[in-house]
């Protein structure tokens, strides 16, 4: 038995060897069975070693070899992917790294000096970074980064995002873009000395609150409008009454005298806007359109245009001659308390009870800028006669602005706040000597230096005998054409004229 088993095993082994040799030499090709068995063995070995990543990569590679359309360039990155990757990288670099790609010039110079000192101290030359060899292949992202444009500017505002300066109240300080450079201490503006003001004359004649005042361009007379619905014209030198004009059926809120026509314009709570001919002392035109009381008006200095504003939250631009409304300036959500006109843009400026100030494009009839700095209603506004600036007043603050953009310049600060007693500023006026006056409903009067915002004098208006102390409010104010006289209309039905103290001496 044992010899037979050995012969059978020998025969079977011989047959197996012949079959294997036939499979190996068949057609001169490597059999698929051998490849699959080798792959299975390698997969089993990889699984045994825990290298699943190698199996996944090998599988992905085979799938791409089977299904790729372009067999010649199956291992190159598609053009669409490169373009999208490039756009993505450019966007990310611009959004996140644009301010820190290049260091500011002072830091670069400092690094260069430190490097030179280190070289001189050690006496060794720092070797350059090793360059990539021919066999090194950069990744796709590195290649795309190499193709992106580099910044060549040496001056940069790195580490701090640069923002345009709205206004520089200290012109002596440098306005450089590098925030890492030590700057000199800014100098505060020194207030200019102005003589104190004192009461010169008290004029009585109205039977109601004096709500408006306007000075004639020739500086010989001025007009006032009051709650008694009468417009009175007074001689400026003597204070005597020259004329009374009746026609309004509500208190007269606004007055303006045209510098180029013999016209006086008036408006009031009766929703009427009237044009008076000063040669005949009669009304020659009416301007209809306001839906409620008209609180303010202004005449354009060069155009035959009149601008009125009122409680209907609009400002209306009228053609003087045709009586047609050229524009209806809408945008405010509250009573438009004051309006001013000037030659250059913004040609119309309005302030409103909605705590905003708007600068208007007169040609288009649209808002150029809306100033939202005030927190409470803006009841008074004044234009500087020589500078391209203006100021606005509300119970919370008095602010100065620069045209044409409406840039904020400064706040006017005084002892005890804006009025010293919690009053509301109803009237403002500025003369060519940089003296600004503010009058409040509690009788507080403030005189300010326009350049520095310093309050150099504060007074309390005195009521005429027989009036209550609560009737000390000031509703309107205007300087005469010389700037040496100040005319105020008050709640005690009087008109007061103020002047500078001639005896005052600068200490």
């Amino acid at each position: 038995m044992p010899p037979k088993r050995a012969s059978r095993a020998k025969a079977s082994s011989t047959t197996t060897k012949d079959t294997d040799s036939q499979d190996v030499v068949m057609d001169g090709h490597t059999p698929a069975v051998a490849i699959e068995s080798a792959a299975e063995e390698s997969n089993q070995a990889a699984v045994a070693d825990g290298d699943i990543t190698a199996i996944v990569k090998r599988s992905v590679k085979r799938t791409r070899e089977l299904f790729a359309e372009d067999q010649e360039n199956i291992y190159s990155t598609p053009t669409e992917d490169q373009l999208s990757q490039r756009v993505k990288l450019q966007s990310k670099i611009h959004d996140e790294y644009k301010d820190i790609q290049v260091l500011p010039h002072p830091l670069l110079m400092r690094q260069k000096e430190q490097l030179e000192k280190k070289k001189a101290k050690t006496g060794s030359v720092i070797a350059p970074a090793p360059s990539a060899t021919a066999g090194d292949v950069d990744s796709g992202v590195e290649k795309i980064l190499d193709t992106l444009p580099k910044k060549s500017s040496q001056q940069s505002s790195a580490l701090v995002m640069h923002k345009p300066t709205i206004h520089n109240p200290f012109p002596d300080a440098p306005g450089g873009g590098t925030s890492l450079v030590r700057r000199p201490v800014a100098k505060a503006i020194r207030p200019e000395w102005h003589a104190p003001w004192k009461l010169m004359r008290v004029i009585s004649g109205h039977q109601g609150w004096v709500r408006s005042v306007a000075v004639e361009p020739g500086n010989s007379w001025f007009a006032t409008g009051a709650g008694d619905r009468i417009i009175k014209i007074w001689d400026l030198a003597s204070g005597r009454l020259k004329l009374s004009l009746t026609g309004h059926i509500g208190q007269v809120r606004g007055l303006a005298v045209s510098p180029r026509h013999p016209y006086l314009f008036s408006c009031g709570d009766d929703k009427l806007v009237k044009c008076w001919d000063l040669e005949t002392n009669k009304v020659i035109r009416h301007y209809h359109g306001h839906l409620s009381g008209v609180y303010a008006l202004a005449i354009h200095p060069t155009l035959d245009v009149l601008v009125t504003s009122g409680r209907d939250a609009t400002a209306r631009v009228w053609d003087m001659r045709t009586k047609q409304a050229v524009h209806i300036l809408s945008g405010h959500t509250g009573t438009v308390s004051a309006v001013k006109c000037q030659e250059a843009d913004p040609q119309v400026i309005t302030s409103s009870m909605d705590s905003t100030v708007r600068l208007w494009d007169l040609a288009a009839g649209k808002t150029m800028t809306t100033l939202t700095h005030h927190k409470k209603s803006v009841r008074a506004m004044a234009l500087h006669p020589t500078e391209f600036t203006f100021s606005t007043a509300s119970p919370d603050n008095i602010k100065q602005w620069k045209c044409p953009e409406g840039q904020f310049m400064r706040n006017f600060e005084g002892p005890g706040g804006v009025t010293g007693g919690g009053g509301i500023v109803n009237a403002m006026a500025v003369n060519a000597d940089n003296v600004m006056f503010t009058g409040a409903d509690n009788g507080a009067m403030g005189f300010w230096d326009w350049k520095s915002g310093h309050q150099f004098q504060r007074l309390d208006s005195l009521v005429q005998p027989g009036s209550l102390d609560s009737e000390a409010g000031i509703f309107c104010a205007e300087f005469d054409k010389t700037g040496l006289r100040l005319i105020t209309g008050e709640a005690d039905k009087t008109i007061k004229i103020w002047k500078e103290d001639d005896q005052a001496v600068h200490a």
Side-chain angles (χ1 to χ4, degrees):
M1 290 296 295
K4 290 182 180 180
R5 290 179 181 175
S7 62
R8 290 177 183 174
K10 185 177 181 181
S12 62
S13 62
T14 307
T15 305
T16 304
K17 289 180 181 179
D18 296 339
T19 306
D20 293 341
S21 62
Q22 291 177 2
D23 293 338
V24 171
V25 299
M26 186 181 297
D27 296 331
H29 295 288
T30 302
V33 178
I35 296 175
E36 291 178 358
S37 60
E40 290 178 359
E41 291 176 359
S42 61
N43 289 345
Q44 292 175 0
V47 172
D49 296 340
D51 190 6
I52 303 300
T53 307
I55 300 174
V56 174
K57 288 183 178 180
R58 189 180 301 110
S59 176
V60 171
K61 184 176 180 181
R62 289 178 179 175
T63 304
R64 187 166 184 178
E65 290 175 353
L66 289 175
F67 297 101
E69 297 179 357
D70 189 5
Q71 292 292 330
E72 296 180 357
N73 301 316
I74 60 176
Y75 296 111
S76 61
T77 306
T79 307
E80 294 80 3
D81 294 347
Q82 290 181 353
L83 292 176
S84 62
Q85 190 80 351
R86 179 186 177 89
V87 172
K88 179 180 178 181
L89 286 175
Q90 280 184 329
S91 176
K92 185 173 183 179
I93 291 172
H94 180 271
D95 293 340
E96 299 183 10
Y97 307 111
K98 64 177 181 178
D99 298 313
I100 54 175
Q101 283 184 350
V102 181
L103 288 176
H105 188 64
L107 284 182
L108 289 176
M109 297 300 295
R110 189 180 303 172
Q111 288 184 355
K112 186 177 179 181
E113 292 176 359
Q114 292 178 354
L115 188 60
E116 292 177 353
K117 289 180 180 179
K118 188 174 181 181
K119 287 181 181 180
K121 184 177 180 181
T122 58
S124 60
V125 179
I126 299 177
S131 59
T133 60
D136 297 336
V137 179
D138 293 336
S139 64
V141 176
E142 292 176 348
K143 290 181 178 179
I144 294 175
L145 286 174
D146 292 338
T147 60
L148 294 180
K150 301 285 192 305
K151 280 189 176 182
S152 60
S153 175
Q154 291 292 334
Q155 299 290 341
S156 172
S157 58
L159 305 180
V160 175
M161 183 173 293
H162 175 72
K163 294 181 181 179
T165 303
I166 294 179
H167 173 65
N168 181 16
F170 308 108
D172 296 336
T178 57
S179 62
L180 298 178
V181 179
R182 185 185 297 271
R183 295 179 180 176
V185 179
K187 298 179 181 178
I189 299 176
R190 185 174 182 178
E192 182 183 354
W193 182 83
H194 299 281
W197 290 68
K198 64 179 183 179
L199 182 62
M200 171 185 170
R201 180 180 291 122
V202 179
I203 302 174
S204 300
H206 280 291
Q207 300 301 316
W209 292 351
V210 183
R211 303 301 301 254
S212 57
V213 59
V215 179
E216 183 254 340
N219 208 43
S220 61
W221 54 267
F222 67 94
T224 56
D228 56 4
R229 302 165 293 178
I230 299 175
I231 301 172
K232 292 181 179 290
I233 296 178
W234 311 83
D235 183 71
L236 184 59
S238 62
R240 295 179 180 177
L241 180 64
K242 299 180 67 174
L243 185 67
S244 294
L245 302 174
T246 59
H248 279 281
I249 56 176
Q251 58 180 339
V252 183
R253 289 273 194 161
L255 288 172
V257 184
S258 175
R260 296 179 294 113
H261 310 90
Y263 297 155
L264 169 69
F265 294 90
S266 63
C267 63
D269 286 344
D270 51 7
K271 300 184 283 187
L272 298 178
V273 181
K274 296 176 179 288
C275 176
W276 303 79
D277 187 350
L278 296 176
E279 295 177 349
T280 61
N281 300 328
K282 293 182 180 179
V283 178
I284 58 173
R285 296 187 185 95
H286 285 91
Y287 302 89
H288 298 281
H290 277 285
L291 306 178
S292 188
V294 188
Y295 281 13
L297 58 81
I299 299 175
H300 196 281
T302 56
L303 304 176
D304 291 341
V305 162
L306 173 71
V307 184
T308 60
S309 64
R311 203 166 58 185
D312 56 1
T314 63
R316 297 174 186 260
V317 183
W318 308 91
D319 188 335
M320 286 185 185
R321 302 187 181 279
T322 63
K323 301 179 289 185
Q324 299 296 321
V326 180
H327 293 300
I328 299 177
L329 308 179
S330 59
H332 286 292
T333 58
T335 300
V336 184
S337 56
V339 60
K340 298 293 180 182
C341 290
Q342 57 185 1
E343 296 182 18
D345 286 330
Q347 299 182 54
V348 179
I349 306 173
T350 58
S351 62
S352 172
M353 301 283 191
D354 61 5
S355 73
T356 64
V357 179
R358 287 179 180 261
L359 283 60
W360 299 88
D361 183 355
L362 183 59
K366 296 181 180 179
T367 303
M368 293 174 56
T369 308
T370 302
L371 308 177
T372 59
H373 297 60
H374 285 288
K375 298 178 181 178
K376 296 184 180 180
S377 61
V378 185
R379 294 173 179 256
M381 180 169 53
L383 293 177
H384 195 281
T386 57
E387 293 183 1
F388 203 29
T389 54
F390 68 99
S391 62
T392 56
S394 70
D396 63 333
N397 219 328
I398 300 175
K399 298 182 182 292
Q400 187 183 97
W401 313 89
K402 181 182 179 182
C403 295
E405 300 88 356
Q407 295 178 349
F408 172 74
M409 295 182 67
R410 64 175 55 87
N411 288 321
F412 287 84
E413 302 292 343
V418 176
T419 60
I424 298 173
V425 178
N426 287 325
M428 293 183 73
V430 186
N431 65 7
D433 295 330
N434 295 323
V435 175
M436 185 181 77
F437 167 81
T438 57
D441 62 350
N442 59 357
M445 302 172 59
F447 293 88
W448 311 77
D449 178 37
W450 180 264
K451 293 291 186 181
S452 63
H454 170 69
Q455 186 184 57
F456 64 88
Q457 186 181 8
R458 187 189 179 282
L459 298 174
D460 288 318
S461 180
L462 299 175
V463 298
Q464 68 174 342
S467 299
L468 301 174
D469 292 338
S470 59
E471 293 181 320
I474 300 173
F475 290 114
C476 58
E478 186 168 349
F479 285 98
D480 69 348
K481 298 307 175 182
T482 64
L484 302 177
R485 298 290 184 271
L486 173 66
I487 306 169
T488 60
E490 306 196 6
D492 61 354
K493 307 173 187 178
T494 64
I495 304 160
K496 293 185 173 67
I497 300 179
W498 307 77
K499 69 173 184 178
E500 289 182 335
D501 188 358
D502 298 334
Q503 307 297 327
V505 179
H506 180 36

